[in-house]
């Protein structure tokens, strides 16, 4: 069975962008692939974060993974930091990605631009190396991500080509799985910007209450055109809401346009808010139960063990290929 892998960083409250971009789809992948889902807690350290916040966010993301339908017995669900093979492979792969390519990554460029006058840790620069290690450590064939992470997966592909050319057929070439309507969910208050954990204005957080969600959707920025049609250039706000509705209902953009061809913006927004709440209310209820249960530690222990069993032989193969001596 092919391996599918993805990770989420516990840096803030998860948004509807994270959910529609990736999380919602994972439950179905579980039936088709051997799945590895993890919380990228080492990546969360690449920007300043308080220890208590990191800890809480990590358990929140873990609980949301399970609430969204991930079965920890079927899939391997774990913390990146609890599987030390990630850090080991990262150290080796540092030497196979180049400073020029890392400095061209758009995430790196936009973060360093924003933090111009602050001290910036090295981890934000080497971020894609660890991400490549995450992927190739399991020989993953498929990596579902939102559009903002596709450049990093492309870099992992370059790395695989480079490594295999030098050492033989050692690593598996990963492919991104991107969902058309939900690859880039935009901010409700500024539809030219991606909805993001670090930019709370215009975000819908998965744990927001129903009233807050409705209020945020009702005040989403739209336009003066007055028609519900998909036109990201002239109607970015409405197009974003169409994308959100289409991915929540698993229908096409044309179907959404048809359903609401005679509706005004107010009516459409009300339906979008209802669709979001219909999806998130049960998710929040499940989340609350799991988050307060004492099963989380044993779920993590099981996940770390299964992940390490898969990763160790692949790491050893890489070590041997580059000439490191492995004691087996
Ligand atoms: P992170 O935590 O920023 O985001 C988790 C996933 O959500 C997607 N996403 C979005 N999709 C659609 N619209 C949005 N507005 C939106 N915002 C976020 C992201 O693309 C991502 O797929 N580097 C990764 C974590 C990671 C990883 C990996 C992923 C670490 N190692 C290996 C895949 C494979 C990240 O920062 O995700």
């Amino acid at each position: 069975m092919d391996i599918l892998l993805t990770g989420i960083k516990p840096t803030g409250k998860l948004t509807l962008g994270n959910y529609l971009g990736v999380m919602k789809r994972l439950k179905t992948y579980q039936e088709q692939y051997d799945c590895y889902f993890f919380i990228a807690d080492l990546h969360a350290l690449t920007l300043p974060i308080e220890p208590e916040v990191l800890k809480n966010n990590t358990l929140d993301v873990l609980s949301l993974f399970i609430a969204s339908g991930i079965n920890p017995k079927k899939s391997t669900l774990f913390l990146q930091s609890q599987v030390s093979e990630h850090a080991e492979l990262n150290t080796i792969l540092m030497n196979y990605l180049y400073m020029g390519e890392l400095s061209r990554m758009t995430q790196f460029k936009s973060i360093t631009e924003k933090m111009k006058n602050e001290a910036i840790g090295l981890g934000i620069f080497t971020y894609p190396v660890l991400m490549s290690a995450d992927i190739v450590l399991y020989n993953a064939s498929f990596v579902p991500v939102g559009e903002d992470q596709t450049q990093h997966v492309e870099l992992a592909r370059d790395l695989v080509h480079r490594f295999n050319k030098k050492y033989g057929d050692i690593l598996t070439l990963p492919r991104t799985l991107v969902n058309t309507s939900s690859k880039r969910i935009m901010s409700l208050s500024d539809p030219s910007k991606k909805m993001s954990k670090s930019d709370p204005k215009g975000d819908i957080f998965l744990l927001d209450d129903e009233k807050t969600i409705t209020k945020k959707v009702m005040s989403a920025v739209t336009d003066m055109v007055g028609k519900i049609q998909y036109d990201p250039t002239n109607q970015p706000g409405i197009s974003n809401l169409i994308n959100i509705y289409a991915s929540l209902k698993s229908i096409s953009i044309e179907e959404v346009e048809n359903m609401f061809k005679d509706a005004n913006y107010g009516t459409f927004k009300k339906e979008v808010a209802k669709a979001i709440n219909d999806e998130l209310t049960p998710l929040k209820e499940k989340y609350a139960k799991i988050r307060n249960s004492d099963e989380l530690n044993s779920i993590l222990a099981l996940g770390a063990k299964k992940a390490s069993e898969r990763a160790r032989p692949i790491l050893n193969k890489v070590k041997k290929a580059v000439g490191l001596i492995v004691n087996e």
Side-chain angles (χ1 to χ4, degrees):
M1 207 188 246
D2 281 327
I3 306 284
L4 178 141
L5 167 143
T6 199
I8 297 184
K9 230 173 10 191
T11 40
K13 296 189 269 181
L14 290 201
T15 69
L16 190 65
N18 299 124
Y19 182 73
L20 294 180
V22 173
M23 199 176 237
K24 181 175 153 61
R25 297 185 272 150
L26 302 182
K27 188 169 82 178
T28 350
Y29 292 142
Q30 225 175 199
E31 309 303 322
Q32 299 160 268
Y33 302 103
D34 183 6
C35 290
Y36 289 78
F37 302 131
F38 66 95
I39 296 148
D41 51 356
L42 292 174
H43 274 118
L45 290 173
T46 57
L47 287 175
I49 186 163
E50 288 302 319
E52 273 311 306
V53 175
L54 176 56
K55 238 191 247 175
N56 275 317
N57 286 349
T58 300
L59 297 177
D60 279 355
V61 179
L62 175 68
S63 307
L64 281 165
F65 263 123
I66 300 168
S68 75
I70 299 311
N71 175 351
K73 292 202 177 98
K74 192 164 199 171
S75 299
T76 303
L77 181 60
F78 62 100
L79 301 189
Q80 187 186 36
S81 67
Q82 291 187 352
V83 182
S84 59
E85 285 83 356
H86 287 251
E88 272 188 71
L89 185 58
N90 176 56
T91 307
I92 296 172
L93 297 184
M94 290 260 183
N95 307 299
Y96 298 88
L97 282 167
Y98 305 142
M99 292 178 61
E101 3 184 60
L102 294 179
S103 56
R104 283 194 293 277
M105 292 291 109
T106 52
Q107 180 176 293
F108 171 72
K109 284 198 287 188
S110 75
I111 290 174
T112 45
E113 177 66 22
K114 267 193 224 146
M115 295 177 68
K116 230 184 286 166
N117 301 319
E118 294 168 52
I120 300 170
L122 196 56
I124 202 67
F125 183 61
T126 58
Y127 185 112
V129 183
L130 179 58
M131 185 159 159
S132 298
D134 297 338
I135 297 169
V136 301
L137 189 53
Y138 299 88
N139 276 344
S141 298
F142 298 104
V143 183
V145 283
E147 197 178 48
D148 63 313
Q149 293 299 317
T150 53
Q151 195 186 28
H152 289 158
V153 184
E154 278 304 313
L155 192 68
R157 287 171 61 87
D158 292 345
L159 170 97
V160 168
H161 283 306
R162 190 172 296 157
F163 196 91
N164 285 354
K165 194 164 169 222
K166 189 160 163 88
Y167 299 109
D169 203 9
I170 308 274
L171 304 174
T172 300
L173 190 65
R175 266 198 280 162
T176 50
L177 288 181
V178 177
N179 187 310
T180 330
S181 60
S182 62
K183 65 182 180 200
R184 198 171 169 80
I185 300 296
M186 310 307 274
S187 156
L188 298 184
S189 60
D190 178 359
S192 68
K193 281 201 333 226
K194 163 188 97 141
M195 193 181 273
S196 115
K197 283 178 280 203
S198 56
D199 189 15
K201 257 182 45 206
D203 272 13
I204 291 196
F205 296 113
L206 298 186
L207 301 177
D208 277 347
D209 61 50
E210 288 197 10
K211 249 176 135 177
T212 309
I213 290 176
T214 306
K215 207 166 138 203
K216 286 183 181 173
V217 176
M218 294 312 288
S219 46
V221 167
T222 51
D223 53 67
M224 303 296 280
V225 179
K227 274 198 82 171
I228 291 148
Q229 55 195 5
Y230 192 75
D231 179 356
T233 313
N234 300 310
Q235 296 184 254
I238 284 294
S239 302
N240 188 36
L241 293 177
I242 292 178
N243 270 336
I244 291 174
Y245 193 83
S247 28
L248 280 168
K249 299 282 182 189
S250 305
I251 57 177
S252 70
I253 285 165
E254 294 73 38
E255 281 173 282
V256 184
E257 286 177 324
N258 254 329
M259 279 172 78
F260 294 101
K261 63 177 183 304
D262 300 319
N264 60 31
Y265 286 179
T267 313
F268 179 49
K269 281 178 169 179
K270 248 187 235 159
E271 287 303 314
V272 174
K274 183 175 177 309
I276 298 174
N277 281 324
D278 285 351
E279 179 91 11
L280 296 190
T281 302
L283 182 84
K284 276 180 286 195
E285 285 164 8
K286 284 186 205 139
Y287 158 85
K289 268 198 208 130
I290 298 155
R291 183 69 171 86
N292 295 320
S293 81
D294 26 71
E295 270 175 76
L296 294 181
N297 278 337
S298 55
I299 289 173
L300 287 179
L302 171 72
K305 183 171 174 286
K306 284 204 292 180
S308 180
E309 275 167 13
R310 166 86 195 170
R312 183 49 64 177
I314 297 169
L315 174 66
N316 282 347
K317 207 168 163 194
V318 170
K319 284 174 122 178
K320 283 186 203 157
V322 301
L324 297 170
I325 296 170
V326 175
N327 278 328
E328 275 173 315

